[in-house]
Amino acid sequence: MTPSKKKIVYLQHYGGRLGNQLWPSAALYAYCIEKGYEFRNYCFSTYSDEIEMPVGNWLIWLLFYSPLRKISFRKWSPLRHWVFPKYTKRTLAKHPETINDTVEVDSWRPFYLPPTEVADTDQARKLKMIEDSGDSAAYVTGWMYRNPIGMEKYRADIMTAIKPKKKVRTHVSSVLAYPRANFKHVVGVHFRLGDYRYVEEKKFFFEPQQVEKILTEYVTQSGMQTQDICFVICSDEKLNPDHFKSINAFFPTGSPAEDLFTLAATDVIIGSDSTFGPFAAWYGNVPFIIFDRTGIDWEYYKGKEKFFVTTKPNRVFY
């Protein structure tokens, strides 16, 4: 008999939203491909109506991913708030060799996975312990797993396993039909408001007028005319079109998943410093330009036509 593959089971992401769940899921999946393991994601159920994700366990699928979850997960919250956390804790207690990337909130230290170089000796030790173990499964918690080399090496495999469902694809096609038919260049804009008003003294928060200024600068820097460019602006709050009168702006309404894959289908993305916009850029393999309070270094971005790991500002989200 052929021995079964070792499984990497993603149990808990500690409550992050869509971008904070997609990055570690893709990183872990790339790691599994590299090592010949099976990936199972037990903690992506919030977005499972709109995005496919490897599950691999019929009971987990039934309770948290199937249509039954509309009752069991959303309306009967004990499954989410008590049953599954209890299962997670028991599982981790039985398997102390698990990868656990819990870090201090202020350190933002990524846990890198092969084939990306693992320079941190403690992280390398944890990985070796799991890889050398004869156990059939290793259990994973946390959200800062990163694998830039693996995500590029196995891009096609990841996009086959983690992809938008039909209703999201239909939404994206509908949203972009008009911009694509009427403009030469379509720019996605991720404009996060909401909680950014309260994060680190508004370090990442921009007013609509500031964003309009950035987008008009982009028009100038692009060498195109205003009438050639359409900005598709996705935000977590409803925006006033009067704040964007100097440009051709389009404001689709959609869920987070619909917004992310809409952005991924544009030519370039400009946006807030978060995990959301960069993952859309990675998925669409287009450049991501980050809002920057000190002013955007447009020369730095010139000539870049595909996704790349930017260092402006120097972030560790990806």
Side-chain angles (χ1 to χ4, degrees):
M1 293 181 63
T2 303
S4 60
K5 292 181 178 181
K6 185 190 290 285
K7 303 175 188 67
I8 301 295
V9 182
Y10 193 11
L11 285 179
Q12 181 60 272
H13 53 68
Y14 299 126
R17 294 191 289 184
L18 182 55
N20 286 352
Q21 293 186 38
L22 285 171
W23 280 110
S25 297
L28 287 162
Y29 189 67
Y31 169 65
C32 287
I33 298 174
E34 179 73 8
K35 295 296 180 178
Y37 300 157
E38 180 183 346
F39 178 57
R40 294 184 174 185
N41 191 330
Y42 288 2
C43 59
F44 194 73
S45 53
T46 303
Y47 301 100
S48 63
D49 276 352
E50 299 180 299
I51 301 175
E52 293 185 13
M53 182 67 66
V55 182
N57 179 292
W58 71 267
L59 182 59
I60 295 293
W61 179 86
L62 186 67
L63 293 177
F64 296 98
Y65 287 82
S66 75
L68 179 64
R69 83 178 183 91
K70 294 178 188 249
I71 298 173
S72 65
F73 185 82
R74 289 176 176 166
K75 296 184 179 179
W76 191 42
S77 61
L79 271 177
R80 177 174 57 176
H81 296 296
W82 186 76
V83 175
F84 195 68
K86 289 287 186 183
Y87 167 78
T88 299
K89 287 180 181 179
R90 282 201 308 272
T91 302
L92 295 177
K94 291 178 183 178
H95 299 274
E97 77 286 354
T98 183
I99 304 176
N100 189 324
D101 80 329
T102 305
V103 295
E104 294 299 325
V105 173
D106 61 353
S107 68
W108 300 94
R109 184 168 64 93
F111 192 118
Y112 289 106
L113 298 165
T116 301
E117 180 185 2
V118 183
D120 185 288
T121 55
D122 182 56
Q123 293 177 5
R125 178 186 60 79
K126 288 181 179 179
L127 288 170
K128 188 175 190 311
M129 180 172 60
I130 287 170
E131 291 165 7
D132 291 348
S133 167
D135 293 337
S136 61
Y139 297 87
V140 176
T141 63
W143 71 281
M144 277 292 284
Y145 298 102
R146 297 297 182 264
N147 195 347
I149 302 300
M151 285 178 64
E152 286 306 314
K153 182 176 180 180
Y154 300 111
R155 170 182 285 277
D157 299 274
I158 295 168
M159 293 178 70
T160 298
I162 303 173
K163 61 186 179 183
K165 292 188 175 180
K166 182 178 179 180
K167 67 177 182 178
V168 176
R169 299 196 303 271
T170 300
H171 173 87
V172 172
S173 297
S174 175
V175 165
L176 293 180
Y178 176 81
R180 286 296 184 197
N182 292 277
F183 297 90
K184 295 179 180 179
H185 189 59
V186 180
V187 178
V189 181
H190 173 230
F191 186 13
R192 181 167 168 176
L193 292 160
D195 60 330
Y196 271 20
R197 290 187 176 89
Y198 314 106
V199 175
E200 297 185 46
E201 298 180 346
K202 298 187 178 181
K203 180 178 179 181
F204 306 124
F205 179 74
F206 285 75
E207 297 285 355
Q209 295 86 342
Q210 294 173 297
V211 173
E212 184 193 37
K213 182 176 182 294
I214 290 171
L215 301 184
T216 55
E217 286 180 4
Y218 177 83
V219 174
T220 301
Q221 295 292 329
S222 71
M224 289 182 275
Q225 301 298 314
T226 301
Q227 63 267 25
D228 295 330
I229 303 175
C230 180
F231 293 93
V232 178
I233 305 179
C234 298
S235 177
D236 55 351
E237 292 186 7
K238 187 175 181 179
L239 299 172
N240 184 350
D242 289 343
H243 291 148
F244 300 89
K245 284 185 175 181
S246 67
I247 57 175
N248 298 304
F250 187 48
F251 306 91
T253 56
S255 67
E258 289 169 337
D259 284 352
L260 186 143
F261 290 106
T262 295
L263 293 172
T266 61
D267 300 321
V268 60
I269 302 172
I270 306 174
S272 299
D273 193 354
S274 73
T275 56
F276 188 92
F279 191 88
W282 176 84
Y283 201 91
N285 200 17
V286 296
F288 180 72
I289 301 171
I290 305 177
F291 294 165
D292 191 339
R293 286 199 170 281
T294 62
I296 294 177
D297 182 356
W298 296 107
E299 288 297 321
Y300 172 77
Y301 292 103
K302 280 188 177 178
K304 294 179 171 65
E305 298 180 354
K306 296 182 178 180
F307 175 79
F308 67 101
V309 179
T310 178
T311 58
K312 288 184 178 288
N314 185 22
R315 305 295 291 160
V316 297
F317 284 142
Y318 42 94

